[in-house]
Amino acid sequence: MRDRLQTGSAPATRDHDVEYEEVSVPVLVVGAGAAGARVAIELSEQGVEPLVVGKRDHGDAHTTWAAGGINASLGSLDPDDDWTIHAADTLDEGHYINDPEAVEVTTKHMPDRIRELEEWGMPFDRTEDGRINQRYFGAQSFRRTCFVGDRTGEAMLDTLVAKAQSLEIPYRDNVLVTRLLSDGERVHGAAGYHMESGEFVCFVADHVVLAAGGYSALYHRHSSRDDENNGDGPALALQAGASLLDVEFVQFHPTGMVGDRYGEEWDGRLVTEAVRGEGGRLFNADGERFMERYSPDQMELDARDVVARAIAQEVREGRGTENGGVYLDISHRDDEYVRERLPRMYERFAALGVDITEAPMEVAPTAHYSMGGVDIDFHTGETGVEGLHAVGETVAGVHGANRLGGNSLAETVAVGKLVGDHVATQVGDEGPSLPDSVRALAEREFRALADLEASDGDVTPRALLEALGDCLWDHAGILRDEASLREGLAELDEIRERTADLRVDGDRTGRAFEFAVDLSFSLTLAEALLLSALEREESRGAHYRTDFPETDPDWRRNVLVGADDTGLSLWTRGVGDPSEAVQRALDAGYELDYHHLE
């Protein structure tokens, strides 16, 4: 029997004078990208009707910005590939602090998830004999990355949204969740507001699934839009009583656009790894193909952290462009091949006056993906707070210290199906209810939001977010050390103090109010990031400490963050070992031979 959504309006109370809509639903999915959509599809197919809420229009999520591809060991071009080698590559790239079980769950299920997407209509590029085509991606032993030109994420989300619509899954767009309704042990729903009308809404739910993205947009140069990936998913979970894991690991994609060259609007926007996967070459301002010095075997297709540090080093030593970047060149490939394999990149740069079949692109590292996030059980999505689950970039575990390109989209559908299946088994016959104490929490949140809207100080939320972005870029960027991290924490305290003088122009329907809400999430994640980076006294993957430049075997541990009334607390735990099958693949030492592309 399918559980039905119940909605109704709660009037203003005499004591609190706050009006809000109340919506009752068995499962609330917060986030409408690929992870949230896949969870919702599974719930619906198991007979449970969820409600999906997103803070953008339906079908407009960060998933669409994932361009290059999605990994699965199909063996279309390299039949020796299998899921154990995919797992081994993922663990190796993650510098062995990934959750081995999470890695195996993802890699083992991905061939079936790709075939499922194919069945649902995803228009994968094909080989001449009709198989799903696969391309090279950095640090992978075989051609494993399935793709739709260079718009894979967009095609995937379109496919998932169409499937969800065929199942008539309820969806509300332009809703921003600002607090989970939790007593620290159990979640009872969420509070938020309609971004177009400004009306408050209280969601009453026995189960909440967070699929709200990561926190890479905290940095001033990043590949996200400014209104997403600002930490709301992990911050909501932390506030509700869950723990965060490995927040210090932020991936800096080697190739973001350089704003000084292409304009502020494009600063940090992603130049997909598919350019390098199709044979793109990196040159410094002196015309040297500098990856020959840093990685002569894997060249431009070494791990993202390696390539990003190499570019940063070239710029630091004076071999960068006037704009602080390097050049990425694909012009040696056939013109038609480039237009066919990289249509979006070709069109984007053509609109900016650059023909990439004839001239190089100017690029520099950009904050792109957060490997850290909520600590979960990957079979269930459980967070340790009863009724609260999480999935996608909101969580940590699959990627460890650095993510393989193409694994982010893989995680969303592989783990999303499992989480949806588990949550469906937990939904009872009785409808959700809201205890009086938790209702009071919701009403306090609405009053706090009303107070925030009325803020009339001298500093704007956007100005503080920009200051925060500079703080993290300067003190917790590609290269870190203790002194700089401590300076970052001091700057963070100063930014927090300035929030007392906040000014919000306009009402709750405006961007200023949205950024004011985002600011609270971002400050929380920034503190967790700086503290975690200070705690990890080694270099591993995307976390590079110049004062601890070596990887320390004793630091093969995860750093966890919790929150209570006194603030944030940190602790560590050991990492498990892979299965015998994956260990055999690790011992075999598979490795990409870049020179297949030459």
Side-chain angles (χ1 to χ4, degrees), residues 307-547:
V307 181
R309 279 198 298 276
I311 294 173
Q313 192 69 20
E314 291 295 299
V315 173
R316 172 178 282 197
E317 294 180 2
R319 295 185 293 275
T321 66
E322 291 183 3
N323 298 319
V326 296
Y327 296 111
L328 175 61
D329 192 8
I330 191 73
S331 64
H332 58 283
R333 300 303 300 259
D334 178 76
D335 291 6
E336 186 59 34
Y337 182 89
V338 172
R339 287 191 288 268
E340 176 189 341
R341 291 298 186 96
L342 303 166
R344 177 173 287 179
M345 289 294 101
Y346 178 81
E347 292 166 4
R348 176 190 295 178
F349 281 94
L352 296 170
V354 178
D355 183 347
I356 66 172
T357 67
E358 297 181 356
M361 298 154 269
E362 192 170 355
V363 297
T366 181
H368 178 56
Y369 190 90
S370 43
M371 278 77 71
V374 185
D375 183 27
I376 67 165
D377 178 299
F378 273 82
H379 293 283
T380 65
E382 292 178 350
T383 64
V385 178
E386 188 177 354
L388 178 60
H389 312 261
V391 70
E393 194 176 350
T394 296
V395 311
V398 171
H399 310 296
N402 202 27
R403 176 178 66 85
L404 279 179
N407 266 3
S408 58
L409 291 181
E411 178 190 6
T412 62
V413 290
V415 183
K417 181 187 188 311
L418 295 175
V419 172
D421 182 58
H422 172 74
V423 174
T425 68
Q426 304 301 301
V427 175
D429 295 332
E430 296 182 6
S433 61
L434 198 63
D436 290 343
S437 61
V438 180
R439 183 178 297 280
L441 174 64
E443 293 174 354
R444 286 199 300 273
E445 176 69 6
F446 297 141
R447 290 197 303 278
L449 292 172
D451 290 343
L452 181 63
E453 178 186 11
S455 301
D456 60 354
D458 294 325
V459 61
T460 66
R462 188 63 181 261
L464 293 186
L465 285 168
E466 289 175 355
L468 180 62
D470 290 339
C471 170
L472 289 181
W473 190 266
D474 292 341
H475 301 298
I478 297 174
L479 305 176
R480 307 165 175 183
D481 61 52
E482 179 180 356
S484 186
L485 289 166
R486 292 195 184 280
E487 288 173 14
L489 285 166
E491 283 189 22
L492 181 63
D493 287 341
E494 293 174 1
I495 294 169
R496 272 213 176 93
E497 290 175 5
R498 294 173 65 192
T499 63
D501 195 30
L502 203 62
R503 182 182 80 247
V504 176
D505 297 319
D507 59 18
R508 289 195 294 272
T509 66
R511 294 281 278 174
F513 184 77
E514 178 186 347
F515 284 133
V517 173
D518 290 340
L519 180 60
S520 176
F521 298 137
S522 296
L523 289 170
T524 298
L525 263 294
E527 182 180 5
L529 194 164
L530 287 161
L531 288 172
S532 298
L534 192 59
E535 180 78 5
R536 184 174 290 280
E537 294 183 334
E538 66 157 356
S539 291
R540 188 182 292 264
H543 171 73
Y544 190 83
R545 289 278 299 263
T546 57
D547 49 349

Side-chain angles (χ1 to χ4, degrees), residues 93-170:
E93 177 71 348
H95 294 258
Y96 303 100
I97 61 163
N98 328 54
D99 177 342
E101 199 166 356
V103 171
E104 296 193 19
V105 161
T106 301
T107 57
K108 189 179 295 186
H109 285 86
M110 271 316 299
D112 286 343
R113 299 288 73 76
I114 290 292
R115 296 182 187 103
E116 181 177 69
L117 287 166
E118 178 185 28
E119 180 182 332
W120 292 347
M122 187 165 170
F124 289 107
D125 280 36
R126 300 281 175 172
T127 63
E128 291 184 0
D129 59 0
R131 290 172 292 175
I132 292 174
N133 206 352
Q134 297 185 280
R135 61 172 36 134
Y136 285 113
F137 248 35
Q140 302 205 53
S141 300
F142 294 105
R143 287 169 288 186
R144 178 183 297 135
T145 305
C146 313
F147 59 96
V148 181
D150 59 355
R151 61 176 196 91
T152 309
E154 178 184 343
M156 179 170 153
L157 187 59
D158 287 347
T159 302
L160 292 170
V161 168
K163 178 65 174 179
Q165 289 174 333
S166 74
L167 295 170
E168 299 183 343
I169 294 173

